[in-house]
Amino acid sequence: MNTPPASASEPEREPEHALDPAPERELRPAETPRWLTAEEQRVWRSYLHATTLLEDHLDRQLQRDAGMPHIYYGLLVQLVEAPRRRLRMTELAMNAKITRSRLSHAIARLEKHGWVSRENCPSDKRGQFAVLTDEGLKVLRRTAPGHVAAVRQALFDRLTPEQQKSLGEIMEIVAEGLQPNEAGADLPWLR
């Protein structure tokens, strides 16, 4: 990078944060980032570390026990809890917090296994239902005990009842803040 050397009368400004913009560009006050404090950075990185490891732990358990990733297991759970073991695809995408294209791909894979089928919606020609098959129910019943044990061992057995309650309250607050209700919100299941 070709930058002119700093003049002797103009000392080079050290950035306050490693990601601060180059000293040549001054930011207006409204553009100045609110960098995380050292404690906030520790909490954020702990959260990322734990959630990445937890998701990997659950994926490996489900791949080993049922040959499916965690997201597919979650879809089957949504269906088994639904009336008549069926949900509209749009509702399933919303419940799973995934895009419609990702859901469509997942349902296609579950159909190949014979665990889910699709049915057209009689009241809406464009709509479809995802339906948990009897074979899908068998797989879910066979897999659920090991999955619950993995969740319990990885998360709940490590926390006191008070910590569990706090974690639930914190996650509800975060989820509420990230899921706006206004029209035109950019949410995965609307894409």
Side-chain angles (χ1 to χ4, degrees):
M1 182 162 120
N2 293 333
T3 56
S7 69
S9 63
E10 199 178 304
E12 196 166 309
R13 176 176 71 92
E14 280 293 315
E16 293 179 25
H17 187 278
L19 297 178
D20 271 345
E24 308 88 55
R25 181 174 182 270
E26 292 298 322
L27 295 176
R28 290 175 286 173
E31 292 179 318
T32 303
R34 285 184 53 217
W35 297 112
L36 299 179
T37 65
E39 179 60 14
E40 289 169 335
Q41 190 69 255
R42 183 194 67 75
V43 169
W44 175 242
R45 290 182 179 171
S46 294
Y47 167 82
L48 289 177
H49 190 107
T51 56
T52 300
L53 290 173
L54 179 60
E55 190 63 30
D56 178 69
H57 176 73
L58 298 177
D59 264 341
R60 284 184 292 115
Q61 177 268 319
L62 287 164
Q63 288 289 355
R64 182 185 64 241
D65 292 357
M68 75 175 93
H70 189 222
I71 187 76
Y72 292 10
Y73 179 84
L75 295 172
L76 297 179
V77 168
Q78 289 288 326
L79 292 173
V80 79
E81 293 175 346
R84 297 175 47 218
R85 299 188 327 217
R86 74 187 63 229
L87 279 175
R88 286 193 58 137
M89 293 283 283
T90 52
E91 187 176 354
L92 187 55
M94 184 178 72
N95 292 348
K97 311 293 186 251
I98 60 176
T99 63
R100 290 178 283 192
S101 64
R102 186 171 183 199
L103 175 67
S104 185
H105 176 75
I107 294 298
R109 297 288 304 268
L110 291 168
E111 280 181 301
K112 284 182 183 176
H113 288 291
W115 300 341
V116 171
S117 64
R118 291 186 215 215
E119 293 178 359
N120 290 326
C121 178
S123 63
D124 177 4
K125 297 212 184 282
R126 294 182 309 156
Q128 283 190 320
F129 286 98
V131 182
L132 182 68
T133 64
D134 290 341
E135 187 59 34
L137 180 59
K138 287 178 193 172
V139 167
L140 199 52
R141 285 181 174 156
R142 186 173 62 244
T143 307
H147 181 65
V148 169
V151 169
R152 182 167 296 288
Q153 177 271 327
L155 184 65
F156 292 100
D157 289 351
R158 298 174 186 275
L159 302 175
T160 65
E162 295 80 21
Q163 290 170 324
Q164 292 174 25
K165 183 176 186 241
S166 293
L167 179 62
E169 291 169 351
I170 290 165
M171 292 297 101
E172 285 173 9
I173 290 167
V174 171
E176 285 172 13
L178 292 172
Q179 188 170 314
N181 292 324
E182 68 266 3
D186 184 20
L187 296 166
W189 54 93
L190 299 176
R191 290 183 223 138

